[in-house]
Amino acid sequence: MKRSRALCIVALIALAGCVNDQVDREGDGVFAPGISGESNVDGLIVGHRLMAAGEYELALKAYQRAAVQQGLNVDTLSAIGSANLNIGRLGQAEHWLREAVERDASFPPAWNNLGVVLMERGKIAEASEVFRRAYAADNGNSDEIRDNLRLALAMLENTDDTVIEDYQNFNLIRRGAGDFVLMSDL
């Protein structure tokens, strides 16, 4: 009986030693495991790659995961807006891109993509002003933004029906990490 009691005490001491192995070595105490499915993969990078591959719905989901991980910052807002733009959800794209430029008015890709949305929606006067802001925020360094501004101004100046019909045949082309350019078929 004394021997079994001694074995129980030894077993308890051994188990107590095992508990100490569960303590964080930095001295912060016991730590909980991470969230199930959590990873260190950057959702923005995954989303940009999916956008380049033409997988816009999957890119949107990756951007939404990035927003959960990083918060709703100008990068995630702009990316979500750009994905919605490619899917054809212009109202949602406009909402997210306006939110992005409110957060950071010095982020040229968000201004540029908002201008593209406005052009798609036929709001040419507002689009030309947005492209001016994008061009100013970029210090005139982007040829793509300059081309978008030129196209918007040309459409604004030439409001007769034949010119507008000619400019209706433009394509959205992805540039860099979420920039879009209006390319006319003229």
Side-chain angles (χ1 to χ4, degrees), residues 67 71-82 96-97 99-100 103:
L72 287 175
N73 57 38
V74 68
D75 292 318
T76 56
L77 290 167
S78 180
I80 290 170
S82 298
W96 290 108
L97 292 167
E99 188 78 25
R103 296 269 172 111

Side-chain angles (χ1 to χ4, degrees), residues 21-41:
D21 286 343
Q22 297 296 321
V23 177
D24 188 2
R25 296 294 177 205
E26 296 177 20
D28 293 340
V30 177
F31 57 94
I35 298 172
S36 176
E38 182 179 338
S39 72
N40 293 332
V41 176

